[in-house]
Amino acid sequence: MELTELAECVSSMSCVVTQLAAGLTIGMLLFLVASGLTLIFGVLGLVNFAHGSLYMMGAYFALAAYGPTGSFAIAVLAGTLGAALLGLFFERFLLSRIYGQDVLMQLLVCYAIILILDDVVKIIWGADFRNMGVPPAFLHPPFIIGGGVVPYFYAILFGITALIAVALSYGMSRTRFGRIVRAAAVNPGMVGALGINTTVVYAAVFAIGAGLAGAAGALSAPIRSVVPGAGVSILIESFIVTVIGGMGSIGGALAASLILGLTRSFGSIGFPLFVEGAMFVIMALVLILRPSGLGGRRG
Amino acid sequence: MSTSKPAGLHRRRLIGAGTAAAITGFPNIGFTQARQPIKIGVPTILSGRVAQLGISSRNAMQIEVDAFNASGGLDGRPIELIVRDSRGVPAEAARLAREMISSDAVEFLFDAEPSSGGFAIHEVVRETGTVTLHINSETSSLTADPRQRFWNAFRVARQGIHDSIAGGYYAASVARSRNLRRWMTISPDYAYGRDTTAEFVEFARGFNADIQITGETWPRLFQADYTENITRLNQGRPQAVYSCLWAGDLVTFVEQASIFGLFAQSQLFAVNMADYTTLQQVRNLPRGVHSGNRYLRNFPPVPGNLAFATEYNRRFNTFPTNWSWQSATAVRLLTTALRQVGGTNPREVAAKLKGMTIESPFGAEGTVTMRAEDQTLVDYAIGWGTTISADPFVENMQKADWATIRRLEAEWKRGKGWG
């Protein structure tokens, strides 16, 4: 533990700015993945263990699109739409058949999808790591705010992820589709009785969740190595977020993602060898104090 | 009266002809037996995140084996490589080694595993007595520790302690000329990262006592995001940063650190940067990163090295790696020993390998030696230089002095009780 360093950090403007910016950016990327996971669970009741693989596929689709076009915008779109379509495919042909089934069956089917996608990636892109690199348009010197360092690209990432979060929140709370989704999550039978095709709603929700994971993969491709199996570590963190935030709660997922991002960021100063452990400690504390999670419904 | 000959006569003729053919053909059958290939087993990693290790090792071996076979092999016996994928699992590497020895009847092993699998194979061949050349394990204790040493195991790879002495000397000298006192380290959190970093720091400070390590950060192996480690480095405001991150991990770290402007305030000493698989993956390679040579076609700047890189590129459409030159050297050492012995007797081949010096384009002075006392390769080219953004990627290479390496290595061994 290096708590003296942590104390020095929080009393220094430059350190607070640097760590805050990094923590918020990490947290928002995590939110994109976790929000899709929690949305799918909340509406479909499916624990999508293959969600990390959709994140990975988003990164590979982005990489494939960036090569010939050189456009980061197109790459992000390709990653998002590609993962959404892939998610739709799996939902229609595989996952829709196991809705409401035992979690072990869900785990088995999702694990099969993980293995299939990992092998497909190896066949198409090879087993080695790939690197997109930061697009030249974003290669600017970092912002210096109060002596702290905020990378230009991180500011862009934060902006995009925050926009997506706002759009998601607005879509779920203020649009007709959002109301139908929320209603379907609570009482699908009643939604069906009202003449709404719940199959289409479920498929759309899964595609949106998959698209969010794909968007996160595409957005992080320039700064992270893209490798087969890249979805595993992000999946574990996403599950922690989902548990802390409350299964099915988008707002809870946002809060939990930011808490974990900041824990990672400031933890690297104060307890560098216990950052991973700290996330699980937070999860345990939340489960003890509020078993339904920060944004979950009690009972 | 029938003119046809009795069937029994036909049979007798046929048997006679067959016997004659068998007798006259005997020398050919004998010759065919003499031309049975010399089987060499190669357990390595061919899939997963470090598949490049096994692929580039196998490619280089094949080039050398093809050349050996084309030149007549060992009195007509070609070499056949049996390459299998351990997937980086040490237990699987050991199992493959046993299977190759018992079922495939390989006469030699090229262990192309990293240290984790290499030590597992080391124990297998300690029991079986198979002559084995470890190709990719850089952990010093594999051959430096006398308890690990036995007659049939040799290391044909660079060694951590050699790199640390060379790197420490170079870093100390740069630190002195540029007054770099505050250093931090970022290395992967496993045995190679911890050991290599400790050795580098020990020698750098031994050469320049002004060097102070003011902080360290240990990302996990294959970590996806280095943001938290980089912000920690930023907070420490070091003048220099040492790292033994490698391959994709190093690429990701450099890309992320660049956008934080880390290299504007700190000089990076990354021992594993100068390998083509890494150099060509970094999109925005910073100028002035200090790196040891892993494999560079212009270091040593000799025609043989360039020819090796050109041939490798022609056949595999990519450039060799550090693992490639080590693999090529292993084949050259073994084939030289086989020809000098004139057979494959393991005791005789091992005895010939001990202390053997061969001409090599990868040698510091045109040769490399399998040092007899610890059965490890020495005199290979070690140098440090600084990166530039385009081919040849590294400039101002400074060659390490092997006399210094040998002297300090001997002191280091004595300090560990291995001398």
Side-chain angles (χ1 to χ4, degrees), chain A residues 54 56-66 75 78-83 86 125:
Chain A
L54 294 167
M56 175 189 74
M57 293 308 296
Y60 274 106
F61 287 140
L63 198 68
Y66 185 72
T80 308
L81 294 177
L86 197 63
W125 287 283

Side-chain angles (χ1 to χ4, degrees), chain B residues 204-219:
Chain B
R205 297 193 62 191
F207 289 117
N208 182 346
D210 290 340
I211 289 176
Q212 295 299 318
I213 305 299
T214 58
E216 55 191 21
T217 180
W218 301 97

Side-chain angles (χ1 to χ4, degrees), chain A residues 29 39-40 53 72 83 114 135 166 180 189 198 207 221 224 235 241 245 249 267 277 283 296:
Chain A
L29 277 172
L39 184 67
I40 289 168
S53 295
F72 184 58
I114 291 171
V166 169
I180 292 170
T198 49
R224 294 178 179 172
L235 178 70
V241 166
S249 165
M283 185 174 77

Side-chain angles (χ1 to χ4, degrees), chain A residues 54-116:
Chain A
L54 294 167
Y55 163 90
M56 175 189 74
M57 293 308 296
Y60 274 106
F61 287 140
L63 198 68
Y66 185 72
T69 63
S71 162
F72 184 58
I74 292 175
V76 173
L77 271 178
T80 308
L81 294 177
L85 289 174
L86 197 63
L88 194 60
F89 174 81
F90 281 120
E91 195 274 342
R92 280 296 78 214
F93 291 101
L94 272 176
L95 298 171
S96 60
R97 294 158 204 273
I98 55 166
Y99 288 159
Q101 290 205 23
D102 188 81
V103 75
L104 281 176
M105 174 59 82
Q106 297 183 353
L107 176 64
L108 192 66
V109 173
C110 289
Y111 190 56
I113 293 174
I114 291 171
L115 294 179
I116 290 167

